[in-house]
Amino acid sequence: RNLTLPLDLIKKMVEWGRNHRDVASILFVEGDNHYVMDRSEEYALFMHKHLLDPDPIEVKGGYQSDNPPVPTQVNMMRVICHPDKMEVVKPQVAECVAGYAAYAQSLPTTIDIMAPGTNKAAGLHVLQKSLGLSMAECCAIGDSENDLEMLQSVRVACAMGNAVKKTKAVSHFVMPKNTDQPAGVVCLIRSLTAALKATKVEVESTAKEKLRVACF
């Protein structure tokens, strides 16, 4: 959360957004606050309306200003466009961020731009440490490119049935889709619960040890 993107990259993406505002919107995430250059753009409010993210604040002056006061402590940027435009937008974003940051497509509409080393695996490592868990006790499930590092860091990796090819390729198992009944996450949790209930572990030790599993 404390890692931030270089100001040069932020300004670079603002200029890219200025020249491509008919195709995509840029969202800036600074802590708990979200910002956009123009709330009237087609995809400016997409994350707020569809994924219940915070209602974004419009940068004062927006694209009308030659030097808009964009946030400077940005943890992540998102480029949002129509899925049909992603094949065109994604290579351009990759070129802009090269040498500055990491990026991954998280939704058919969305590319996440993050500081190097910022990903779900890094977050999972912090959580594991606080819970006293090892990789051998963790299972993860995902569906997008931004899940790759996390899936590659755990003992058991599962992909949703609706996952992208890259995610399925690094997973041990492919679960049902999120539209199936029951959905993939439900199936995984039920399978893990059933396995834990069926497993009896006897530990010859003065201290009692519990068989446990964490799913992310």
Side-chain angles (χ1 to χ4, degrees):
R1 184 185 178 91
N2 293 326
L3 294 178
T4 57
L5 293 166
L7 185 57
D8 286 348
L9 175 59
I10 296 171
K11 292 180 177 180
K12 189 175 183 179
M13 290 306 300
V14 167
E15 290 308 308
W16 182 90
R18 190 193 303 274
N19 296 326
H20 298 84
R21 58 186 307 189
D22 59 326
V23 175
S25 294
I26 299 178
L27 180 75
F28 307 91
V29 179
E30 186 180 63
D32 294 326
N33 294 322
H34 290 198
Y35 299 84
V36 293
M37 298 301 294
D38 184 350
R39 285 175 57 91
S40 68
E41 289 178 348
E42 182 177 2
Y43 285 92
L45 305 182
F46 180 86
M47 304 300 290
H48 171 60
K49 289 182 177 179
H50 298 283
L51 296 179
L52 304 181
D53 279 11
D55 193 4
I57 303 164
E58 186 172 281
V59 173
K60 187 176 181 179
Y63 288 126
Q64 303 302 318
S65 173
D66 292 334
N67 188 25
V70 294
T72 58
Q73 300 298 308
V74 175
N75 307 109
M76 178 172 67
M77 287 185 285
R78 281 180 165 147
V79 179
I80 310 165
C81 66
H82 191 280
D84 292 346
K85 301 293 185 180
M86 187 58 72
E87 288 188 8
V88 175
V89 169
K90 192 172 180 180
Q92 295 183 21
V93 171
E95 184 177 353
C96 286
V97 305
Y100 287 101
Y103 74 95
Q105 185 175 346
S106 57
L107 293 168
T109 57
T110 309
I111 301 170
D112 294 343
I113 302 172
M114 304 150 289
T118 303
N119 53 56
K120 292 185 180 182
L124 176 57
H125 179 72
V126 174
L127 183 58
Q128 284 177 325
K129 187 175 181 180
S130 67
L131 295 176
L133 293 168
S134 68
M135 288 294 186
E137 296 173 294
C138 293
C139 172
I141 186 167
D143 62 357
S144 300
E145 288 181 8
N146 65 339
D147 295 311
L148 293 176
E149 293 89 353
M150 176 182 69
L151 293 172
Q152 291 171 314
S153 71
V154 296
R155 179 69 177 272
V156 179
C158 300
M160 294 290 291
N162 53 287
V164 298
K165 291 181 180 179
K166 288 183 179 180
T167 302
K168 290 181 179 179
V170 301
S171 298
H172 301 104
F173 304 100
V174 177
M175 308 303 290
K177 298 179 181 179
N178 58 357
T179 54
D180 291 336
Q181 294 295 330
V185 174
V186 175
C187 290
L188 176 59
I189 293 175
R190 287 178 178 175
S191 296
L192 291 173
T193 303
L196 289 173
K197 287 181 178 179
T199 302
K200 295 181 179 180
V201 179
E202 294 183 1
V203 180
E204 294 182 4
S205 173
T206 55
K208 280 189 175 182
E209 292 186 14
K210 293 183 179 180
L211 181 65
R212 49 188 187 167
V213 62
C215 181
F216 302 95

